[in-house]
Amino acid sequence: MGVLEKVRPGRARAWIDTLPLDTILMRDCIEAMASLPDKCVDLIFADPPYNLQLGGDLNRPDGSHVDAVTDDWDKFDSLAAYDAFTRAWLTEARRILKDDGSIWVIGSYHNIFKVGSAIQDLGFWILNDIVWRKANPMPNFKGTRFTNAHETLIWASKGEKAKYTFNYRTMKTLNDELQMRSDWEFPICGGQERLKKDGHKVHPTQKPEALLYRVLLASTKPGDVVLDPFFGTGTTGAVAKRLGRHWIGIEREPGYVEAASERIAAALPLDESALTTMQAGKAAPRVAFGTLVENGYLTPGQKLTDARRRHHAVVRADGSLAAPDGQAGSIHKLGALLQGAPSCNGWSFWHYEDANGLKPIDALRQTWLLATQP
Amino acid sequence: MGVLEKVRPGRARAWIDTLPLDTILMRDCIEAMASLPDKCVDLIFADPPYNLQLGGDLNRPDGSHVDAVTDDWDKFDSLAAYDAFTRAWLTEARRILKDDGSIWVIGSYHNIFKVGSAIQDLGFWILNDIVWRKANPMPNFKGTRFTNAHETLIWASKGEKAKYTFNYRTMKTLNDELQMRSDWEFPICGGQERLKKDGHKVHPTQKPEALLYRVLLASTKPGDVVLDPFFGTGTTGAVAKRLGRHWIGIEREPGYVEAASERIAAALPLDESALTTMQAGKAAPRVAFGTLVENGYLTPGQKLTDARRRHHAVVRADGSLAAPDGQAGSIHKLGALLQGAPSCNGWSFWHYEDANGLKPIDALRQTWLLATQP
DNA sequence: CACCAGTGTGAATCCGAGT
DNA sequence: AACTCGGATTCACACTGGT
């Protein structure tokens, strides 16, 4: 069975066809989001502007325009205006995000604290902050500070209790069987990947595809809808297409839209087998312990122990276990009881003995799965 | 002439003797700061409560219990209450900071965005955000998020145009003649360094001395006054004493004050020669000898010799060496100078003495590599 | 003394489907 | 919405005790 077919089959897809999927909306970011329905996207990736020369975006809450940043008063004023801008687009983003979706925002120390503070105030629940360590950062030429060698990403769910997608096993596989950490190292975007026109870079802050690749692979499933409200030259769209995710881009500048369109048109989607391969460690169907007893993989009356033979139990006909002292329960419950532990995975705790020694009963489950799954 | 007398001779020192130098004020942090005069400290290092908002208990996969931060000092009624607390202590901190001083605050994603936002709103000017990459972070036991493997420090001056101390050359020397980056790697505080009482850790969040060492070495000069408004077990004080800086600690909990007092009393100040750091324009070490110093493999002030004990030198705090005749430089340069040779491999030339006799410092490098490389 | 196996632990917002 | 219970889930060090 392929990955694409089996994910999220029960999701309401009634209006998904009305969404401007896999297209760029060439409009103001807040206006464009306002045109989308509530709770319609699975993921938002945002790379908002952070220099204080925001042009039309940078207006005071009363609508008046903020002029150049020159003295302290203007600085304070523009900081407040940046706050207002940030809260405005995040509010729209929150409205169109599904309840089980999540949002990523990338920034530097110039803006990320304002962004993170607003994210918390609006009710999002921060899941991680991620550090992108630049393998080849620009040096600090004047020698006045530390080399600014990283950017920060914030990953947040819609609320404290909200569900969200995290492909734990995929990330662990990607990281050589160690848990993926919160610090990621990538080179900055350059070489062939960097979009250029007439010898000049098209966009000043084009993000590396590897970064988006990891973001989307970690927090979306195939077929999900990914929105990027500051699309730029479309890195998010290119990677989404490659990974079999739908995307919606919002970008006001015609030059960026043109570059992004060409770039995404040329991007090749991975075929399903490639996507399946990367989804290592897919969830196995649940197997009841009793099924193994029913099918003769274990016999009622058979003795089980833990790996160090400190605890013992006997298999009963109904798939429960009984300890010598009379305590009984499921493989998990009895394992927890005997250890005095809050919980226990009975599949790895309990062992049975065969000609080659002790083996976890999970081995029997695997045998059963191999024999019964296509 | 001692260090304290010769630095910053032009500075007004009229009231410095009235400051509670090198002592711990056992009071509420804001009250204690309110008792200090305007513009009286050169550096503030703050490790405020993170407002972790932890839920129920957490157990490791093996069933053992995670000893979490459950102290009352980390509990706040709401996000707004934490905001108010943050702005209150930062306001006092700003008042007592000299105009050419700077402030460091460390935090995690739970609080750092609130802190950074407040820092900007109060008129501080962020110079860098620094990432402390933990070499050995606690894993994410439930597989629900990325391993939270870093904390963030914000470094800010008092305003956009304000002067501040940054020992660029010292940092570059410490980092193998490469500019020091904004991402730093240190192990979490454990082992012998971790303060314990009756077998239990004294403080749940003791910071590693290596971290403070780099902070103070980067942004203060000998004789400066360093204030830590959340002193805890006094890492800041211990390192300040070691580096010849004055310190003022503020800590409300008597248990922490007692532990900090004992610890700092036992800390040894470095010899003055070890504190004289490389001046701008001096020569270039080619290896990260400074890392060994920073991590305690070698101590500033420690003596090195060549294999035949014909030449001698003293390790300095920034990873350079000083000979008895006043010549100084990297391990390679000083080795060459003393021998009258065109070049020298300092790693094999310089030796340190331990219980088993002389060993080349390269052995320490190998130990470090073994301890830090995968 | 060296080496190995076993144990303990660190600023952590740490489950989720089914009833 | 609250509750039950099946079952999935850990990395780097430091320290201890035995061979």
Side-chain angles (χ1 to χ4, degrees):
Chain A
M1 185 192 281
V3 168
L4 294 178
E5 288 75 17
K6 77 181 177 193
V7 293
R8 298 190 171 175
R11 290 202 161 198
R13 294 268 179 189
W15 41 257
I16 194 173
D17 296 328
T18 72
L19 285 178
L21 291 185
D22 308 324
T23 57
I24 307 174
L25 307 178
M26 196 165 74
R27 301 174 64 182
D28 170 77
C29 126
I30 296 175
E31 284 178 20
M33 283 196 281
S35 75
L36 298 174
D38 291 357
K39 304 179 183 181
C40 67
V41 300
D42 297 287
L43 191 86
I44 296 173
F45 180 90
D47 181 11
Y50 59 79
N51 63 65
L52 296 180
Q53 312 299 326
L54 290 174
D57 279 336
L58 191 49
N59 290 309
R60 298 189 179 91
D62 65 4
S64 62
H65 186 250
V66 174
D67 290 325
V69 177
T70 50
D71 58 25
D72 283 350
W73 172 253
D74 272 347
K75 193 191 309 155
F76 174 81
D77 213 33
S78 64
L79 210 54
Y82 189 80
D83 255 343
F85 163 71
T86 299
R87 282 159 202 265
W89 76 257
L90 278 171
T91 299
E92 274 306 302
R94 185 171 168 77
R95 182 185 62 77
I96 64 178
L97 184 64
K98 290 183 188 175
D99 286 342
D100 60 355
S102 63
I103 183 171
W104 293 80
V105 188
I106 184 169
S108 69
Y109 67 82
H110 304 89
N111 71 322
I112 199 66
F113 304 112
K114 287 292 169 190
V115 167
S117 183
I119 280 178
Q120 290 182 298
D121 287 341
L122 291 174
F124 290 104
W125 194 248
I126 297 179
L127 299 167
N128 280 112
D129 61 335
I130 299 290
V131 172
W132 165 28
R133 304 177 54 221
K134 300 180 182 181
N136 46 351
M138 171 119 47
N140 182 291
F141 294 112
K142 292 183 179 176
T144 54
R145 305 180 182 191
F146 297 98
T147 300
N148 198 1
H150 75 276
E151 295 190 23
T152 302
L153 299 97
I154 296 173
W155 180 40
S157 68
K158 203 160 172 181
E160 179 175 2
K161 308 290 185 187
K163 286 195 254 186
Y164 57 92
T165 296
F166 178 53
N167 299 312
Y168 172 77
R169 175 52 63 181
T170 303
M171 286 297 102
K172 190 168 177 177
T173 303
L174 194 62
N175 195 41
D176 198 17
E177 286 307 306
L178 288 179
Q179 284 190 341
M180 188 69 81
R181 296 168 41 117
S182 58
D183 55 324
W184 304 352
E185 178 169 329
F186 300 109
I188 59 176
C189 185
Q192 294 296 324
E193 187 184 329
R194 186 83 193 214
L195 296 185
K196 294 192 179 169
K197 188 170 184 178
D198 306 328
H200 295 79
K201 52 192 178 188
V202 175
H203 194 282
T205 66
Q206 184 182 339
K207 297 292 175 289
E209 294 196 4
L211 181 71
L212 269 293
Y213 186 96
R214 188 174 294 180
V215 165
L216 298 188
L217 209 55
S219 57
T220 64
K221 297 197 180 305
D224 275 2
V225 178
V226 178
L227 174 85
D228 186 335
F230 306 96
F231 204 54
T233 50
T235 306
T236 302
V239 176
K241 180 180 178 186
R242 185 145 60 101
L243 290 176
R245 275 71 168 165
H246 290 295
W247 54 272
I248 301 173
I250 302 174
E251 177 54 52
R252 197 173 46 188
E253 297 293 328
Y256 295 159
V257 173
E258 183 187 347
S261 299
E262 291 175 10
R263 171 189 190 179
I264 297 170
L268 293 177
L270 294 177
D271 62 28
E272 190 185 319
S273 64
L275 288 178
T276 304
T277 302
M278 293 183 300
Q279 301 281 326
K282 63 186 169 67
R286 286 163 73 123
V287 177
F289 180 68
T291 303
L292 300 184
V293 182
E294 281 171 357
N295 288 275
Y297 284 70
L298 286 163
T299 316
Q302 187 169 350
K303 289 176 183 171
L304 302 182
T305 81
D306 69 302
R308 296 179 197 166
R309 300 181 195 274
R310 292 187 218 181
H311 303 288
H312 303 271
V314 172
V315 176
R316 300 199 292 200
D318 63 355
S320 63
L321 300 184
D325 65 1
Q327 295 188 95
S330 72
I331 55 172
H332 314 293
K333 190 169 183 176
L334 187 63
L337 273 174
L338 293 178
Q339 294 180 98
S343 66
C344 168
N345 182 345
W347 290 111
S348 52
F349 178 73
W350 292 109
H351 291 61
Y352 69 100
E353 184 122 41
D354 74 0
N356 301 319
L358 280 185
K359 287 182 181 173
I361 57 176
D362 191 49
L364 295 175
R365 179 169 64 161
Q366 298 309 323
T367 308
W368 165 255
L369 283 170
L370 281 173
T372 56
Q373 298 297 309
Chain B
M1 184 190 281
V3 166
L4 295 182
E5 288 73 20
K6 78 179 175 194
V7 293
R8 298 190 171 178
R11 290 202 163 198
R13 294 269 177 187
W15 41 256
I16 193 171
D17 297 327
T18 73
L19 285 178
L21 291 184
D22 308 325
T23 58
I24 308 175
L25 308 178
M26 195 164 74
R27 301 174 64 182
D28 170 77
C29 123
I30 295 174
E31 284 177 20
M33 282 195 283
S35 75
L36 297 175
D38 290 356
K39 304 179 182 180
C40 67
V41 300
D42 297 287
L43 192 87
I44 296 173
F45 181 90
D47 182 10
Y50 288 7
N51 189 26
L52 286 182
Q53 301 178 256
L54 301 179
D57 284 357
L58 179 63
N59 294 291
R60 298 184 179 81
D62 66 5
S64 62
H65 184 254
V66 174
D67 186 15
V69 178
T70 54
D71 308 69
D72 285 341
W73 50 254
D74 196 47
K75 294 195 182 347
F76 293 84
D77 291 336
S78 65
L79 207 54
Y82 187 78
D83 250 343
F85 163 75
T86 299
R87 281 160 200 269
W89 76 257
L90 277 171
T91 299
E92 274 307 304
R94 184 172 169 77
R95 182 185 63 77
I96 63 179
L97 184 64
K98 291 183 188 174
D99 286 340
D100 60 354
S102 63
I103 183 171
W104 292 79
V105 188
I106 184 169
S108 67
Y109 68 83
H110 309 83
N111 72 323
I112 199 65
F113 303 112
K114 287 291 171 192
V115 167
S117 184
I119 279 177
Q120 290 182 300
D121 286 344
L122 291 174
F124 290 104
W125 191 252
I126 298 180
L127 299 167
N128 280 113
D129 60 335
I130 299 290
V131 173
W132 168 27
R133 304 176 53 220
K134 300 182 182 183
N136 49 348
M138 192 187 312
N140 181 292
F141 297 117
K142 303 296 186 189
T144 56
R145 304 179 177 189
F146 297 98
T147 303
N148 197 2
H150 74 276
E151 296 190 21
T152 301
L153 298 99
I154 296 173
W155 179 40
S157 67
K158 204 161 172 180
E160 179 176 3
K161 311 287 188 186
K163 290 186 199 174
Y164 57 91
T165 296
F166 178 53
N167 300 313
Y168 173 77
R169 168 54 56 186
T170 301
M171 286 297 102
K172 193 169 179 181
T173 302
L174 194 62
N175 193 42
D176 190 17
E177 279 307 299
L178 292 176
Q179 285 189 348
M180 188 68 82
R181 295 168 43 116
S182 57
D183 55 322
W184 303 351
E185 178 170 328
F186 299 108
I188 58 178
C189 182
Q192 295 296 327
E193 187 184 329
R194 188 84 189 209
L195 296 185
K196 298 201 175 162
K197 186 170 186 178
D198 306 326
H200 295 83
K201 57 189 177 191
V202 175
H203 194 285
T205 70
Q206 186 181 339
K207 295 293 177 289
E209 293 194 6
L211 181 70
L212 269 293
Y213 187 99
R214 190 174 292 181
V215 164
L216 297 189
L217 208 54
S219 57
T220 63
K221 299 198 180 303
D224 276 0
V225 178
V226 178
L227 173 86
D228 185 335
F230 305 96
F231 204 55
T233 50
T235 306
T236 302
V239 176
K241 180 179 179 185
R242 185 145 62 98
L243 289 175
R245 275 71 169 163
H246 290 295
W247 53 272
I248 301 172
I250 303 174
E251 175 55 51
R252 199 173 40 187
E253 302 288 333
Y256 297 159
V257 172
E258 184 187 348
S261 300
E262 292 174 9
R263 171 190 192 179
I264 297 170
L268 294 176
L270 298 179
D271 180 78
E272 179 186 340
S273 66
L275 291 179
T276 309
T277 54
M278 295 293 293
Q279 297 304 305
K282 288 288 178 63
R286 295 180 183 176
V287 291
F289 181 68
T291 300
L292 301 184
V293 180
E294 197 169 37
N295 287 276
Y297 283 65
L298 286 163
T299 315
Q302 187 168 350
K303 290 175 183 171
L304 303 182
T305 78
D306 67 305
R308 297 180 193 171
R309 301 182 194 273
R310 289 188 285 194
H311 302 290
H312 303 271
V314 172
V315 177
R316 300 198 294 197
D318 64 353
S320 59
L321 300 186
D325 64 359
Q327 294 189 93
S330 72
I331 55 174
H332 312 294
K333 182 173 180 181
L334 188 63
L337 274 174
L338 294 177
Q339 295 178 98
S343 66
C344 166
N345 180 349
W347 289 111
S348 52
F349 177 74
W350 292 109
H351 290 61
Y352 70 101
E353 187 132 26
D354 72 3
N356 301 319
L358 280 185
K359 288 181 181 174
I361 56 176
D362 193 48
L364 295 174
R365 180 170 64 159
Q366 298 309 323
T367 307
W368 167 253
L369 286 171
L370 283 173
T372 55
Q373 300 299 308

